[in-house]
Amino acid sequence: MVTTAGRAPQRSPRRASISDVAQEAGVSLGTVSNVLNRPDRVSPTTRGKVLAAIEHLSFVPNGSARQLRAGTITTVGAILLDIANPFFTEVARGIEDRLAQADHTLMLASSDEDPEREARYLRLFEEHGVLGMLVTPASTDLEPLLELSRRGVGVVLLDRTSPAEELSSVAVDDVAGAAMAVEHLLSLGHRRIAFINGPQSIAQCVDRRAGMVRALEAAGLDPDEAMVEITVSSLNAEGGEAGVTELLAAGTAPSALFCVNDLTALGAMRALRSHGLAIPADMAVVGYDDVNFASMLMTPLTSVRQPTRQLGEVAADLLLKAAGPGMAAPQRIQFQPELVVRASSGGAH
């Protein structure tokens, strides 16, 4: 802290409390509380004094505390893998839209695919007394989420099918989606396909790998020979670039590339071009998610489309129903993906 000699360091003004308002207006704490929560119980003259004090002190009521006292919590927490990823941005918009219909608000956080970071947000949201949480798990270990559920906190898994009966979930069939992508490449004549995948601690990476293996085996191919798998640490464009760099350095010769999501596909396409390779003439590329930029790239990206906004809307709806009257039983909802074919995939050379 920088100070001036002979002067005390300046400090930020303290936030006004309800006690400050009561003192300023010359009334009791109970009267201020009534003005905030039950104004009809206070005379117009006294109410005017309290409102004037509130304005003079720039007092902001503690909405969370008031909701707790009234038993009307209206805040929902959501922890997504990476809110910078356009897929999760759209999912979050779906959550927000559904919560707005119920006059609820959203607290949003990104785990950055880090289980420890996720655990910190779980604790923080619980301490804030949220109505419930929507979580895209950063790990296959669901015990922390199950513990929350046992303590009475509503939890819905988002973009992952729940293996536990106690937890609701909303997801897309990623095994089927990946199989669809690889079947498309096989139909074009590709018989050696690279796969840029992410950490196996993330369920989506596990499922999309399983879908690729299933498609190769169904075509009578040995996955050990037909699949060239590159695992990257981050599911973003930098990860895609690193994956292609590793793939080309290994000297393998796949004619097509399947990426675990569209952000890795974006980075992969950038790296292919930087190495002088044409898409799809030298290597076909397929992504996963069909985010909003997929159709806008120099070479529009073939991708597996997920109903992103609908995922968020339905997950929020499940949480609201579980927390409402009657407390609906846990549900597992699974959407089917759709392959959108564009210019980035072509026949084998």
Side-chain angles (χ1 to χ4, degrees), residues 36-61:
L36 294 172
N37 300 294
R38 297 170 292 276
D40 55 301
R41 297 186 181 183
V42 184
S43 71
T45 301
T46 302
R47 189 163 64 242
K49 289 181 180 179
V50 172
L51 292 176
I54 287 173
E55 183 176 357
H56 179 251
L57 296 172
S58 300
F59 171 70
V60 178

Side-chain angles (χ1 to χ4, degrees), residues 30 88 106 109 144 186 198 219 261:
F88 288 111
L106 174 64
L186 292 172
N261 69 6

Side-chain angles (χ1 to χ4, degrees), residues 19-288:
S19 298
D20 297 327
V21 173
Q23 184 175 355
E24 175 85 6
V27 299
S28 68
L29 290 174
T31 298
V32 177
S33 179
N34 280 336
V35 170
L36 294 172
N37 300 294
R38 297 170 292 276
D40 55 301
R41 297 186 181 183
V42 184
S43 71
T45 301
T46 302
R47 189 163 64 242
K49 289 181 180 179
V50 172
L51 292 176
I54 287 173
E55 183 176 357
H56 179 251
L57 296 172
S58 300
F59 171 70
V60 178
N62 188 328
S64 297
R66 189 162 67 247
Q67 289 175 21
L68 281 169
R69 289 193 298 272
T72 56
I73 303 299
T74 59
T75 301
V76 169
I79 306 174
L80 308 179
L81 289 183
D82 181 6
I83 56 178
N85 184 328
F87 168 78
F88 288 111
T89 303
E90 280 296 297
V91 170
R93 185 57 187 267
I95 296 170
E96 188 176 34
D97 287 348
R98 178 62 187 93
L99 292 179
Q101 293 172 10
D103 290 327
H104 284 49
T105 54
L106 174 64
M107 291 177 65
L108 184 61
S110 175
S111 69
D112 291 342
E113 305 162 22
D114 181 353
E116 291 185 3
R117 184 180 172 95
E118 177 188 286
R120 289 196 297 274
Y121 279 122
L122 291 175
R123 288 193 299 272
L124 179 64
F125 285 172
E126 187 177 17
E127 289 169 1
H128 275 71
V130 296
L131 178 70
M133 302 187 209
L134 306 168
V135 184
T136 305
S139 167
T140 54
D141 179 14
L142 297 183
E143 189 56 33
L145 301 179
L146 288 168
E147 282 293 331
L148 278 175
S149 179
R150 292 170 194 140
R151 290 198 294 271
V153 179
V155 177
V156 174
L157 300 189
L158 183 53
D159 197 32
R160 178 173 175 191
T161 299
S162 174
E165 293 183 359
E166 305 97 307
L167 299 179
S168 290
S169 64
V170 180
V172 173
D173 188 343
D174 282 330
V175 176
M180 199 180 298
V182 175
E183 286 164 1
H184 167 66
L185 292 171
L186 292 172
S187 73
L188 296 172
H190 299 284
R191 288 298 178 268
R192 189 165 169 78
I193 302 170
F195 179 37
I196 295 183
N197 198 9
Q200 294 299 286
S201 58
I202 298 175
Q204 293 89 333
C205 297
V206 174
D207 288 347
R208 292 171 196 179
R209 184 185 193 281
M212 181 169 187
V213 169
R214 186 173 81 179
L216 293 173
E217 290 178 340
L221 299 174
D222 181 353
D224 290 337
E225 297 178 359
M227 178 172 69
V228 181
E229 184 173 13
I230 303 292
T231 300
V232 297
S233 59
S234 299
L235 304 181
N236 53 27
E238 289 73 21
E241 286 190 275
V244 164
T245 300
E246 181 179 342
L247 176 69
L248 297 179
T252 55
S255 59
L257 173 61
F258 173 45
C259 296
V260 71
N261 69 6
D262 284 350
L263 279 185
T264 57
L266 173 64
M269 293 169 79
R270 197 159 61 197
L272 288 171
R273 288 198 178 93
S274 72
H275 284 84
L277 298 176
I279 304 166
D282 294 319
M283 191 174 296
V285 179
V286 176
Y288 202 109

